């Protein structure tokens, strides 16, 4: 079974990204042949500055390898090292009904927010379909927000096969429902767009400041507190074992234990949880040529893999 997923290089990863996505990607890598790529062509739809995009790609590679992408098990590469994906996307565009793309929620949401859409944003799902179909992926782990894009991929693949013969592999999505939403410092879903994130990597002082800014009620130090409705406890649960959580809850109920104390415990736990990953990331950051070389070599192999499908596709549609 071939498992494939892509990640857009979109900025500094936070606890929500780690527990909601990065950890799952790392867990799945032993379940089959695992492909992971950095979706830099997709990022162009937001027109980033060239140097920003390049920096984000490097950072994403460091973040994922540090967090547990095993380069022995996972084939990790840059989307743009395989330009054939754009060729396949073009061919798939010619069997994709415009109405299918007009119904895409993520496109409609962006328009509703007042974006002037470029054509790249409109045909984003077709490039995503090409990413998946080019490597004959069977299973595609994604977040819930990408479910419709996967359905579009399947529709496009079925349409292509009906037209040109059974060439493309129809993929299945893997969308874990039990992934808990990680709350941000204000209690809403943690998200870059809400400015309420706690980054997983960064300076100790800045991360501590974010943890200390978690919103709580205003009960005084001596008063007993409710552990069931507290953001600090909710985040502590991500790192602590059951006994440690129970101990914190008991301290809440007993009183004479302030939110500042709980936040300090949370920070210490979180800091030591990410310590090995932080160390690994520092080592990698001091050795960027090594990381670049891995992505480059894998890109060459991915391109060879892509070429196998492309020669069939070109023949089937009448090119060459
Ligand atoms: P953001 O909302 O910060 O822009 P992204 O949309 O880039 O985050 O999310 C990347 C991945 O991280 C997605 O697969 C998403 O499901 C996961 N993720 C993001 N925020 C959370 C959260 N608060 N809780 C659980 N998973 C999350
Ligand atoms: N659209 C995905 C996201 O924003 C990223 C992505 C691009 C992707 N191509 C893909 C995910 C192919 C899975 C498979 O999260």
């Amino acid at each position: 079974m071939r498992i494939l997923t892509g990640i857009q290089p979109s900025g500094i990863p936070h606890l929500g990204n780690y527990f909601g996505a990065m950890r799952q990607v790392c867990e799945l890598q032993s379940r089959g042949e695992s492909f992971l790529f950095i979706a830099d062509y997709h990022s162009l739809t937001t027109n980033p500055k060239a140097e920003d995009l390049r920096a984000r790609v490097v950072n994403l590679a460091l973040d994922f390898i540090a967090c547990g992408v095993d380069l022995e098990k996972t084939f990790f590469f840059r989307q743009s090292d395989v330009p054939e994906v754009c060729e396949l996307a073009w061919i798939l565009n010619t069997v994709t009904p415009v109405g299918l793309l007009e119904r895409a929620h993520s496109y409609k949401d962006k328009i509703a927010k007042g974006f002037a859409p470029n054509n790249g944003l409109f045909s984003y799902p077709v490039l995503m379909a090409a990413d998946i179909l080019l490597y004959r992926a069977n299973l595609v782990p994604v977040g819930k927000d990408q479910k419709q894009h996967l359905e579009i991929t399947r529709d496009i693949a079925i349409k292509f096969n009906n037209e040109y013969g059974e060439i493309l592999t129809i993929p299945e999505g893997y969308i874990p429902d039990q992934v808990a939403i990680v709350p941000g410092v204000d209690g809403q879903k943690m998200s870059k767009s809400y400015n309420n994130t706690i980054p997983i990597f960064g300076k100790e002082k800045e991360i501590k400041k974010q943890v200390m800014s978690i919103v709580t009620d205003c009960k005084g130090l001596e008063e007993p507190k409710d552990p069931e409705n507290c953001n600090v406890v909710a985040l502590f649960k991500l790192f602590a074992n059951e006994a440690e959580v129970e101990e914190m809850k008991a301290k809440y109920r007993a009183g004479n234990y302030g939110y500042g104390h709980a936040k300090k415990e949370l920070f210490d736990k979180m800091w030591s949880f990410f310590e090995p990953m932080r160390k690994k990331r520092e080592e990698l950051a001091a050795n960027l040529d090594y990381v670049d070389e891995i992505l480059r070599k894998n890109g060459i192999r991915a391109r060879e893999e892509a070429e196998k499908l492309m020669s069939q596709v070109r023949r089937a549609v009448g090119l060459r």
Side-chain angles (χ1 to χ4, degrees), residues 4-8 37 39 42 124 128 131-132 140 142 146 149:
L4 170 141
T5 199
I7 302 128
Q8 274 206 61
F37 66 88
H42 276 109
Y124 181 112
M128 181 158 161
D131 287 325
I132 297 168
V140 184
V142 283
Q146 298 295 314
H149 286 161

Side-chain angles (χ1 to χ4, degrees), residues 78 83 247:
R78 263 183 300 246
E247 199 183 316

Side-chain angles (χ1 to χ4, degrees), residues 65-122:
I65 303 173
C67 284
V69 165
D70 180 340
L71 299 168
E72 300 288 319
K73 289 188 191 148
T74 291
F75 196 60
F76 191 25
F77 63 102
R78 263 183 300 246
Q79 182 187 31
S80 61
D81 278 342
V82 189
E84 284 76 5
V85 75
C86 294
E87 184 186 359
L88 180 60
W90 175 253
I91 295 171
L92 296 176
N93 263 311
T94 66
V95 295
T96 304
V98 169
L100 186 66
L101 301 179
E102 282 173 339
R103 287 193 290 278
H105 304 308
S106 70
Y107 176 70
K108 289 200 289 191
D109 289 350
K110 296 228 168 70
I111 295 195
K113 283 189 188 137
F115 276 96
N118 56 50
N119 193 33
L121 188 69
F122 182 63

